[in-house]
Structure formats: structure tokens, C-alpha cells
Amino acid sequence: MEFTLKSTIHYDVYSPTTFIFNIQVLNESQNQSILSESLQITPALPYKEFSLKGSKTRFIKLQANAFQPFKIEYQAHVAMQHTLIPKKKVSKNTSIFTLKNEIIPFLTPTRNCPSDKLMEFAFHLFGDLTTDLEKVTAINEWIYNSIEYVGGSSNANTTAYDTLNRKQGVCKDFAHLGIALCRALNIPARYFTCYASNLFPPDIHACFEAYLGKTWIVFDPTKLAELNQLVKIADGKDGSEIAVATLFGNAYCTNMTIECHQIDTHKEIIGLGTDFFISY
């Protein structure tokens, strides 16, 4: 499958401000390859690209002066080859003792995913289910059926605990709640950002991944996007690690437009979510 995507973000700047953007798709991946890409900043501003040690996430660090509005535009043409995981492969539980060391951090609470506050609730609703796959699937369905998607209903400080109590949120809040409930049940989970074909409203999308059968499996409790129509940007412990934009100064986003389109005619995957799951 091939996709074209584009993100355009405009900012007004009121004091010297450093920005960190996370809008470039994942490059070093067995499931996706970048056929072409471009990054344009108007007017030209000093910037650097970097990745953190042990991570494949691609960040852009940019410096803007006061009263210097600018536009950052990223475009890419990406080929995808999803990994299909048979249900039987992820139906067996993985013990904490045998987990790889790098997976352990995805079991613990974070600012946006305070799983320690949700343990009693999670065990009450899902603790009687036998396998981790059953638990994660039930969590995904419960969030979809119980939390209302309301645009603009949360901010960067909204936690999974807040979302559970307010019963509303946007995709990042759905993802944070899924992560927190999984971790409360001792299932490793992480935040997943992506471009999504035919997503409405168009935006950079957030899902979550659960570590099942020694594999990261993607889930989308909003059900706004097809799981085989995603182009991965990054993964992290929660959204604060891989936010679309983080700024240090005083600036305001005046406009953001996101596009993602499938450009080939690949058929839908049969049995996805029942017979097979997708790993990115």
C-alpha cells in the first residue's frame, strides 16, 4: 500500500521561541519505507533534526524570533507493508519475568497515564477475563462504547483519569485511557501517533499499542480510522513524549491542515481484528 501525506502548520510568534515538532514519519521501520519526502519552512528559519538515544522518532528543533510568523510544511510518499499477526500468536500471555528489559517502562504510570489510579476500576471490569488479548480487546470496546468523542474537550494536561471521569475526549485521550487501563492490568502499552487515510476530521491521529505475544499490536478505541490505513510517526510512553508540537516561549498555532491519502488499490484485509491483528 502507498500513501501520500502532508502537514502544514502556521504559527504566530510573540517572543523568541524554540519549537520541537514531531511530524515526520518513521523512517527506520520494517513495515514502511519513505519513497520521497520534503520539509519546507517559510520564511527560512534555523532548525535541526535529531533523535533521542535508543529511539527512531525524528524530531525537528526550530528557533523563531519575536513577531516572526512562519509556516512549516512536511510532505511524504510512503510505501507500507503491514505485518499481520494471527490471533493464535497473541492469545498466550507473556509473563512479566520474561519481558525484554526495554518493555518494562511501558508497565509503569506516567503523567498522562496514571495507571495506579485506575487499578481497582480496571480489575473490576476486566480482571476476570482469561487472556491479555481478551482484556485489551474488551478495554478497546469499552472505551469506544463509553467515552464520547468531543472535539476540543481536553488539553495537554488532561489525563486518562480525567477522561474516565468526564466520559469524553479526543483521540489522544482515548489512547491514554487505553494505555492506562492496560498498564493497570500489568499489560505493557504505549502511545502511537500516525497519519490516517480518510480520517474525519483530518488530523494527526493517536492510537495505542499493547504488547501481546511478544509483539506490539495496534488498537484504535475511537474507531475513526482503519488500522491498515495508518502511517506511523512515533511511539512513546504517552503523548507528552511525542507531541506534534512542543514550544518553549510564547507563540500560537493559527492554522493546521493534515492530509493523508491512499494512492493504490490494495484490497481491505479480511478478518482484521478477529482473525488477524496488525503490528507496526
Side-chain angles (χ1 to χ4, degrees), residues 125-190:
L125 258 66
F126 312 109
D128 290 337
L129 297 173
T130 304
T131 68
D132 289 347
L133 175 60
E134 290 174 315
K135 293 173 184 176
V136 178
T137 302
I139 287 169
N140 197 67
E141 291 300 313
W142 184 89
I143 296 173
Y144 173 73
N145 290 309
S146 304
I147 307 299
E148 184 181 4
Y149 190 97
V150 180
S153 60
S154 65
N155 57 42
N157 297 318
T158 303
T159 70
Y161 185 78
D162 298 328
T163 302
L164 181 62
N165 286 306
R166 297 172 185 173
K167 295 294 188 295
Q168 63 180 22
V170 294
C171 62
K172 72 174 181 62
D173 306 304
F174 281 54
H176 282 152
L177 184 53
I179 292 166
L181 290 172
C182 285
R183 291 177 185 170
L185 297 169
N186 300 319
I187 302 169
R190 67 187 186 186

Side-chain angles (χ1 to χ4, degrees), residues 202-266:
D203 204 347
I204 289 180
H205 195 43
C207 304
F208 75 92
E209 293 175 295
Y211 194 71
L212 303 168
K214 300 181 180 180
T215 305
W216 288 106
I217 303 296
V218 65
F219 293 86
D220 180 11
T222 70
K223 297 192 178 181
L224 291 175
E226 297 291 338
L227 295 181
N228 64 333
Q229 296 281 304
L230 311 179
V231 182
K232 186 174 183 177
I233 300 172
D235 56 65
K237 286 186 287 186
D238 65 25
S240 66
E241 279 198 337
I242 51 173
V244 172
T246 303
L247 62 92
F248 304 89
N250 186 7
Y252 181 74
C253 179
T254 58
N255 187 56
M256 181 170 71
T257 58
I258 305 295
E259 300 175 28
C260 181
H261 305 287
Q262 184 182 352
I263 60 173
D264 54 4
T265 57
H266 192 281

Side-chain angles (χ1 to χ4, degrees), residues 1-260:
M1 305 173 77
E2 294 185 12
F3 298 87
T4 57
L5 53 93
K6 180 179 180 180
S7 57
T8 306
I9 309 175
H10 296 255
Y11 270 93
D12 280 344
V13 183
Y14 307 109
S15 69
T17 302
T18 298
F19 297 80
I20 297 178
F21 291 102
N22 179 29
I23 57 176
Q24 296 173 293
V25 300
L26 199 66
N27 190 18
E28 298 178 27
S29 169
Q30 63 178 359
N31 294 320
Q32 64 186 45
S33 57
I34 299 171
L35 303 180
S36 65
E37 67 176 347
S38 64
L39 177 70
Q40 184 173 3
I41 300 168
T42 309
L45 296 174
Y47 75 93
K48 299 177 181 179
E49 297 186 34
F50 71 96
S51 295
L52 299 176
K53 185 178 180 180
S55 172
K56 298 177 182 178
T57 301
R58 306 162 67 200
F59 293 102
I60 300 163
K61 182 166 59 174
L62 180 151
Q63 181 68 34
N65 295 321
F67 309 111
Q68 189 175 38
F70 72 92
K71 174 182 72 173
I72 182 169
E73 184 174 88
Y74 173 70
Q75 298 186 68
H77 178 191
V78 183
M80 299 291 303
Q81 183 64 50
H82 303 99
T83 300
L84 291 183
I85 309 296
K87 182 178 180 180
K88 62 182 180 180
K89 186 175 179 179
V90 295
S91 294
K92 295 181 180 179
N93 294 346
T94 303
S95 71
I96 303 299
F97 183 77
T98 60
L99 282 177
K100 296 178 180 179
N101 294 336
E102 59 265 28
I103 305 299
I104 298 296
F106 299 101
L107 283 167
T108 55
T110 60
R111 186 187 76 185
N112 293 124
C113 304
S115 50
D116 49 338
K117 294 183 178 181
L118 277 63
M119 290 182 65
E120 184 177 351
F121 177 83
F123 274 94
H124 175 71
L125 258 66
F126 312 109
D128 290 337
L129 297 173
T130 304
T131 68
D132 289 347
L133 175 60
E134 290 174 315
K135 293 173 184 176
V136 178
T137 302
I139 287 169
N140 197 67
E141 291 300 313
W142 184 89
I143 296 173
Y144 173 73
N145 290 309
S146 304
I147 307 299
E148 184 181 4
Y149 190 97
V150 180
S153 60
S154 65
N155 57 42
N157 297 318
T158 303
T159 70
Y161 185 78
D162 298 328
T163 302
L164 181 62
N165 286 306
R166 297 172 185 173
K167 295 294 188 295
Q168 63 180 22
V170 294
C171 62
K172 72 174 181 62
D173 306 304
F174 281 54
H176 282 152
L177 184 53
I179 292 166
L181 290 172
C182 285
R183 291 177 185 170
L185 297 169
N186 300 319
I187 302 169
R190 67 187 186 186
Y191 193 79
F192 175 105
T193 59
C194 59
Y195 292 93
S197 178
N198 300 318
L199 180 70
F200 184 83
D203 204 347
I204 289 180
H205 195 43
C207 304
F208 75 92
E209 293 175 295
Y211 194 71
L212 303 168
K214 300 181 180 180
T215 305
W216 288 106
I217 303 296
V218 65
F219 293 86
D220 180 11
T222 70
K223 297 192 178 181
L224 291 175
E226 297 291 338
L227 295 181
N228 64 333
Q229 296 281 304
L230 311 179
V231 182
K232 186 174 183 177
I233 300 172
D235 56 65
K237 286 186 287 186
D238 65 25
S240 66
E241 279 198 337
I242 51 173
V244 172
T246 303
L247 62 92
F248 304 89
N250 186 7
Y252 181 74
C253 179
T254 58
N255 187 56
M256 181 170 71
T257 58
I258 305 295
E259 300 175 28
C260 181

